[in-house]
Amino acid sequence: MGKLYLVPTPIGNLEDMTFRAVRVLKEVDTILAEDTRTSGKLLQHFDIGTPMQSHHMHNEHKTVDTLVKRLQAGETMALISDAGTPAISDPGFLLTRACVANHIDVECLPGATAFVPALVNSGLPNDKFVFEGFLPIKKGRQTRLKLLAEETRTIIFYESPHKLLKTLSQLVDYFGADRPVSVSRELTKLYEETQRGTAEEVLAHYTEKPPKGEIVLVVGGKK
């Protein structure tokens, strides 16, 4: 029986790659990558020559059974996403679930995940929190926001730059203009920044200065 490793990769700064992650990627038989072109640059940087195979949200439903059979036959695999920890708003859950169901050993290495530094540096309570990932684009979005408006724990969202203003505007409408929020942008990268304030204040800031890059939105719970 083989083994599946879930290996986090840097969310921006390559110095965040762990020694253990590099070792595992060198030792496994195959690396399953969300985008082989993106991951190819990472592997080249760390001189990792392990063969890669594409594994992303558009093909994972079709490939899981075949991958499980290969693991059962003794192959070792590492699953990586373009950035961060696999299965956190990225592919990985389906294969992990299938491995668990088939008694194949799964090991997840600790490493980079964007929402953790965003939560910690937000200044909002982090003893209890809810990770929501991406909000629904259309269907169910308002229903979800109305439900979360009553949540008392800190809430974490992932958001794209071209949808941030819409989301902040909806927070003002559903959560209230004075709800505390924190927007972390381009974490670990050269132009990293965190903007904190009320929903109304942060909306005004990004209305004047349109955001770019990867975004984590942290929202204080209802008091």
Side-chain angles (χ1 to χ4, degrees):
M1 191 75 77
K3 185 173 183 176
L4 174 68
Y5 294 90
L6 305 174
V7 181
T9 56
I11 59 176
N13 193 324
L14 291 179
E15 292 180 0
D16 294 331
M17 190 73 168
T18 68
F19 292 115
R20 184 180 170 200
V22 172
R23 176 181 60 79
V24 168
L25 292 179
K26 287 183 176 181
E27 291 178 350
V28 295
D29 299 312
T30 305
I31 296 173
L32 305 175
E34 185 178 3
D35 186 326
T36 55
R37 292 167 298 180
T38 300
S39 297
K41 298 174 184 177
L42 177 75
L43 301 190
Q44 184 178 18
H45 181 83
F46 290 102
D47 195 26
I48 299 169
T50 307
M52 276 192 298
Q53 177 179 330
S54 181
H55 183 80
H56 48 73
M57 62 181 293
H58 302 295
N59 73 358
E60 60 179 339
H61 291 83
K62 301 176 183 178
T63 59
V64 163
D65 290 343
T66 301
L67 294 174
V68 166
K69 289 178 181 177
R70 287 167 56 183
L71 287 160
Q72 288 174 324
E75 193 170 343
T76 57
M77 299 181 183
L79 175 63
I80 60 176
S81 62
D82 289 347
T85 300
I88 303 295
S89 293
D90 275 325
F93 165 69
L94 292 179
L95 181 57
T96 301
R97 181 177 63 180
C99 287
V100 171
N102 286 277
H103 308 290
I104 297 169
D105 196 11
V106 178
E107 185 174 343
C108 183
L109 278 60
T113 301
F115 79 77
V116 174
L119 170 64
V120 173
N121 73 23
S122 70
L124 295 169
N126 53 38
D127 55 332
K128 296 178 181 179
F129 60 90
V130 179
F131 175 68
E132 280 290 312
F134 290 97
L135 281 164
I137 297 175
K138 292 181 180 179
K139 187 177 181 181
R141 185 181 179 92
Q142 292 185 1
T143 301
R144 193 70 193 155
L145 285 167
K146 289 177 181 178
L147 178 67
L148 290 171
E150 301 302 314
E151 175 60 62
T152 58
R153 295 167 292 183
T154 300
I155 312 164
I156 305 166
F157 301 97
Y158 283 164
E159 193 53 277
S160 62
H162 64 277
K163 291 196 180 86
L164 180 63
L165 291 180
K166 175 183 177 181
T167 299
L168 288 170
S169 178
Q170 289 177 320
L171 289 181
V172 170
D173 293 339
Y174 293 106
F175 289 52
D178 60 347
R179 184 70 70 96
V181 304
S182 173
V183 173
S184 288
R185 188 179 65 83
E186 293 289 81
L187 285 166
T188 79
K189 299 177 184 177
L190 183 62
Y191 297 105
E192 174 181 341
E193 72 165 10
T194 294
Q195 188 69 31
R196 307 173 185 86
T198 65
E200 190 172 52
E201 290 169 343
V202 176
L203 173 60
H205 172 81
Y206 285 112
T207 299
E208 183 178 340
K209 298 180 179 180
K212 296 179 181 180
E214 302 294 327
I215 290 168
V216 184
L217 171 61
V218 184
V219 183
K222 182 178 181 179
K223 294 183 178 179

mmCIF file of all heavy atoms in Angstrom, residues 23 34 50-51 56 75 119 124 137 167 173 201 205 216:
data_model
loop_
_atom_site.group_PDB
_atom_site.id
_atom_site.type_symbol
_atom_site.label_atom_id
_atom_site.label_comp_id
_atom_site.label_asym_id
_atom_site.label_seq_id
_atom_site.Cartn_x
_atom_site.Cartn_y
_atom_site.Cartn_z
ATOM 1 N N ARG A 23 11.962 17.668 1.050
ATOM 2 C CA ARG A 23 12.392 16.267 1.122
ATOM 3 C C ARG A 23 11.311 15.327 0.622
ATOM 4 O O ARG A 23 11.574 14.412 -0.178
ATOM 5 C CB ARG A 23 12.786 15.900 2.559
ATOM 6 C CG ARG A 23 13.161 14.422 2.718
ATOM 7 C CD ARG A 23 13.515 14.075 4.146
ATOM 8 N NE ARG A 23 12.425 14.317 5.081
ATOM 9 C CZ ARG A 23 11.385 13.489 5.250
ATOM 10 N NH1 ARG A 23 11.264 12.391 4.507
ATOM 11 N NH2 ARG A 23 10.446 13.771 6.142
ATOM 12 N N GLU A 34 -1.822 21.178 -9.057
ATOM 13 C CA GLU A 34 -3.005 21.890 -9.551
ATOM 14 C C GLU A 34 -2.725 22.491 -10.929
ATOM 15 O O GLU A 34 -3.544 22.408 -11.832
ATOM 16 C CB GLU A 34 -3.395 22.984 -8.557
ATOM 17 C CG GLU A 34 -4.668 23.713 -8.907
ATOM 18 C CD GLU A 34 -5.052 24.763 -7.884
ATOM 19 O OE1 GLU A 34 -4.302 24.970 -6.916
ATOM 20 O OE2 GLU A 34 -6.119 25.376 -8.056
ATOM 21 N N THR A 50 11.068 15.184 -9.414
ATOM 22 C CA THR A 50 9.993 14.183 -9.382
ATOM 23 C C THR A 50 8.963 14.449 -10.483
ATOM 24 O O THR A 50 8.564 15.589 -10.697
ATOM 25 C CB THR A 50 9.289 14.214 -8.010
ATOM 26 O OG1 THR A 50 10.273 14.084 -6.980
ATOM 27 C CG2 THR A 50 8.279 13.091 -7.878
ATOM 28 N N PRO A 51 8.501 13.410 -11.177
ATOM 29 C CA PRO A 51 7.482 13.596 -12.225
ATOM 30 C C PRO A 51 6.189 14.204 -11.673
ATOM 31 O O PRO A 51 5.765 13.877 -10.558
ATOM 32 C CB PRO A 51 7.229 12.174 -12.732
ATOM 33 C CG PRO A 51 8.447 11.410 -12.356
ATOM 34 C CD PRO A 51 8.939 12.008 -11.075
ATOM 35 N N HIS A 56 -6.568 18.866 -10.823
ATOM 36 C CA HIS A 56 -7.236 20.122 -10.504
ATOM 37 C C HIS A 56 -8.747 19.920 -10.449
ATOM 38 O O HIS A 56 -9.255 18.811 -10.653
ATOM 39 C CB HIS A 56 -6.871 21.200 -11.529
ATOM 40 C CG HIS A 56 -6.994 20.737 -12.953
ATOM 41 N ND1 HIS A 56 -8.212 20.548 -13.581
ATOM 42 C CD2 HIS A 56 -6.056 20.400 -13.869
ATOM 43 C CE1 HIS A 56 -8.036 20.142 -14.814
ATOM 44 N NE2 HIS A 56 -6.725 20.033 -15.020
ATOM 45 N N GLU A 75 2.315 2.896 -4.932
ATOM 46 C CA GLU A 75 2.909 4.174 -5.331
ATOM 47 C C GLU A 75 2.757 5.211 -4.226
ATOM 48 O O GLU A 75 1.758 5.234 -3.513
ATOM 49 C CB GLU A 75 2.239 4.669 -6.615
ATOM 50 C CG GLU A 75 2.968 5.813 -7.295
ATOM 51 C CD GLU A 75 2.420 6.120 -8.682
ATOM 52 O OE1 GLU A 75 1.701 5.254 -9.254
ATOM 53 O OE2 GLU A 75 2.700 7.215 -9.202
ATOM 54 N N LEU A 119 -5.789 36.170 9.942
ATOM 55 C CA LEU A 119 -6.572 36.166 11.180
ATOM 56 C C LEU A 119 -5.762 36.719 12.339
ATOM 57 O O LEU A 119 -6.225 37.584 13.092
ATOM 58 C CB LEU A 119 -7.033 34.742 11.490
ATOM 59 C CG LEU A 119 -7.668 34.506 12.866
ATOM 60 C CD1 LEU A 119 -8.967 35.299 13.011
ATOM 61 C CD2 LEU A 119 -7.917 33.017 13.105
ATOM 62 N N LEU A 124 -8.502 41.032 15.498
ATOM 63 C CA LEU A 124 -9.837 40.578 15.905
ATOM 64 C C LEU A 124 -9.704 39.281 16.710
ATOM 65 O O LEU A 124 -8.709 38.574 16.594
ATOM 66 C CB LEU A 124 -10.706 40.362 14.666
ATOM 67 C CG LEU A 124 -11.008 41.630 13.868
ATOM 68 C CD1 LEU A 124 -11.641 41.291 12.518
ATOM 69 C CD2 LEU A 124 -11.919 42.563 14.660
ATOM 70 N N ILE A 137 -21.144 32.957 -5.602
ATOM 71 C CA ILE A 137 -21.084 34.092 -6.527
ATOM 72 C C ILE A 137 -22.458 34.732 -6.701
ATOM 73 O O ILE A 137 -22.606 35.954 -6.626
ATOM 74 C CB ILE A 137 -20.533 33.644 -7.892
ATOM 75 C CG1 ILE A 137 -19.093 33.146 -7.727
ATOM 76 C CG2 ILE A 137 -20.585 34.797 -8.902
ATOM 77 C CD1 ILE A 137 -18.500 32.564 -8.994
ATOM 78 N N THR A 167 -18.400 42.814 -1.991
ATOM 79 C CA THR A 167 -18.537 42.111 -0.715
ATOM 80 C C THR A 167 -18.536 43.087 0.454
ATOM 81 O O THR A 167 -19.351 42.967 1.374
ATOM 82 C CB THR A 167 -17.399 41.087 -0.553
ATOM 83 O OG1 THR A 167 -17.474 40.135 -1.617
ATOM 84 C CG2 THR A 167 -17.506 40.355 0.774
ATOM 85 N N ASP A 173 -24.349 46.563 4.272
ATOM 86 C CA ASP A 173 -25.799 46.398 4.212
ATOM 87 C C ASP A 173 -26.318 45.363 5.215
ATOM 88 O O ASP A 173 -27.320 45.603 5.894
ATOM 89 C CB ASP A 173 -26.224 45.985 2.802
ATOM 90 C CG ASP A 173 -25.997 47.082 1.778
ATOM 91 O OD1 ASP A 173 -25.894 48.257 2.179
ATOM 92 O OD2 ASP A 173 -25.908 46.766 0.575
ATOM 93 N N GLU A 201 -15.388 52.145 6.563
ATOM 94 C CA GLU A 201 -14.078 52.781 6.369
ATOM 95 C C GLU A 201 -13.222 52.017 5.356
ATOM 96 O O GLU A 201 -12.579 52.622 4.490
ATOM 97 C CB GLU A 201 -13.344 52.869 7.708
ATOM 98 C CG GLU A 201 -13.947 53.866 8.682
ATOM 99 C CD GLU A 201 -13.376 53.736 10.078
ATOM 100 O OE1 GLU A 201 -12.748 52.690 10.392
ATOM 101 O OE2 GLU A 201 -13.571 54.676 10.888
ATOM 102 N N HIS A 205 -11.808 53.130 1.636
ATOM 103 C CA HIS A 205 -10.382 53.050 1.288
ATOM 104 C C HIS A 205 -10.177 52.373 -0.061
ATOM 105 O O HIS A 205 -9.457 52.891 -0.922
ATOM 106 C CB HIS A 205 -9.628 52.289 2.375
ATOM 107 C CG HIS A 205 -8.206 51.997 2.024
ATOM 108 N ND1 HIS A 205 -7.192 52.928 2.162
ATOM 109 C CD2 HIS A 205 -7.617 50.864 1.511
ATOM 110 C CE1 HIS A 205 -6.046 52.389 1.752
ATOM 111 N NE2 HIS A 205 -6.279 51.140 1.355
ATOM 112 N N VAL A 216 -7.529 38.161 1.741
ATOM 113 C CA VAL A 216 -8.224 37.480 2.830
ATOM 114 C C VAL A 216 -8.976 38.545 3.619
ATOM 115 O O VAL A 216 -8.394 39.539 4.053
ATOM 116 C CB VAL A 216 -7.262 36.728 3.777
ATOM 117 C CG1 VAL A 216 -8.064 35.960 4.823
ATOM 118 C CG2 VAL A 216 -6.379 35.770 2.993
#
